[in-house]
Amino acid sequence: LSDSGQIGCWALRDTYTDTYGLLSGVPTTGTFKQVVVGENHICALSIEGTVSCWGINDGSSWGDDGQVTDAPTSGTYTALAASDMATCALSSNGQVNCWGEMYGNDNRIVATDSTIQTLTMDDSNVNYPDVCMRHTNGTISCGKSRIPELVQNTFMDFDISRSWLCGITTEGQAICSDHKNNAHTYLPWNEIDANAPYSKIAIWTPDTGNSNKKTNLCTVDTNHRLRCWETGGDYGTAYV
């Protein structure tokens, strides 16, 4: 997304075939302020608050999941979030509308709250998407009401990945927990704490197709330095 609000997409390999229209479907008109990417679909939010999606509707055992065709065609929106197979949009009146896998053929309103500011979304460890929301007072709520102990804090940034939620508290501390309230102990917290305070955080767990999934955590500190860590597996030793 350029400074002027134009979208550019490209492939990593010269041999890439744009089977799903992820490159050819990019909007050629309009000015945009946010782009989110799923597995085989992309959605963008214009400065006017409209939503555009392109790519394909991934099918599943429930049939056509509508990641592209079920995107809202009316209303104005202020934020987007995407998982592999679904997307959610925050409307100007505080409704969180979701579409795609598990949300049916129509937009599903999962929350209505005028205090919601930002969204983040990911596929959980039970194989369907979840959306979490940060409110104006810094608290976090989630569609499945997970991680009750962690959401008692107040945050200036947060992210979710599979069963984990990580956030930057208003004091600049990075904390993580899972849906069972287990602390994210296999990250190198002694080093992470030593580099606080932080302002931004991102966490993701690639789907490797086996149980030894590595969780990756990146932070930006208040001096604008980027630092990243990777775990050695669910019970492995973290390393920098």
Side-chain angles (χ1 to χ4, degrees):
L1 183 65
S2 71
D3 291 340
S4 60
Q6 307 306 303
I7 300 171
C9 294
W10 57 92
L12 294 177
R13 304 187 306 272
D14 292 338
T15 57
Y16 173 79
T17 301
D18 190 22
T19 305
Y20 302 142
L22 298 175
L23 304 184
S24 59
V26 176
T28 57
T29 60
T31 305
F32 298 88
K33 59 182 180 180
Q34 186 183 7
V35 177
V36 295
V37 180
E39 184 174 10
N40 288 312
H41 75 284
I42 303 172
C43 294
L45 180 66
S46 74
I47 59 173
E48 294 83 13
T50 59
V51 177
S52 301
C53 296
W54 62 98
I56 65 168
N57 295 326
D58 278 358
S60 69
S61 57
W62 294 278
D64 187 341
D65 286 330
Q67 288 88 348
V68 175
T69 55
D70 289 340
T73 57
S74 62
T76 57
Y77 297 86
T78 61
L80 296 176
S83 67
D84 287 351
M85 304 286 281
T87 306
C88 292
L90 175 63
S91 72
S92 54
N93 64 357
Q95 288 185 340
V96 179
N97 298 334
C98 299
W99 62 98
E101 184 181 35
M102 295 300 294
Y103 289 111
N105 294 324
D106 299 314
N107 297 348
R108 176 181 173 184
I109 299 174
V110 299
T112 301
D113 189 335
S114 61
T115 69
I116 299 172
Q117 284 189 320
T118 60
L119 309 174
T120 191
M121 196 175 187
D122 194 22
D123 295 291
S124 76
N125 64 338
V126 289
N127 297 320
Y128 61 92
D130 191 16
V131 58
C132 292
M133 301 147 274
R134 187 173 68 85
H135 301 261
T136 52
N137 63 358
T139 59
I140 293 173
S141 60
C142 296
K144 293 199 289 289
S145 299
R146 64 184 184 179
I147 320 177
E149 292 183 9
L150 183 60
V151 298
Q152 292 176 6
N153 292 277
T154 56
F155 298 89
M156 51 186 174
D157 191 37
F158 77 106
D159 198 11
I160 59 176
S161 179
R162 302 297 174 182
S163 60
W164 290 98
L165 188 153
C166 293
I168 303 297
T169 68
T170 49
E171 295 79 23
Q173 179 188 10
I175 60 174
C176 296
S177 184
D178 69 2
H179 67 292
K180 297 180 180 178
N181 294 316
N182 296 319
H184 210 316
T185 54
Y186 57 90
L187 283 166
W189 288 114
N190 57 334
E191 181 173 346
I192 293 175
D193 291 341
N195 288 277
Y198 298 102
S199 59
K200 302 288 291 183
I201 194 167
I203 186 168
W204 68 102
T205 307
D207 190 354
T208 59
N210 58 58
S211 60
N212 190 30
K213 294 180 174 65
K214 296 182 178 181
T215 297
N216 304 273
L217 173 71
C218 287
T219 60
V220 177
D221 66 21
T222 52
N223 292 316
H224 308 291
R225 293 176 299 189
L226 174 68
R227 295 187 61 82
C228 295
W229 296 266
E230 182 185 63
T231 70
D234 288 347
Y235 300 100
T237 301
Y239 60 91
V240 178

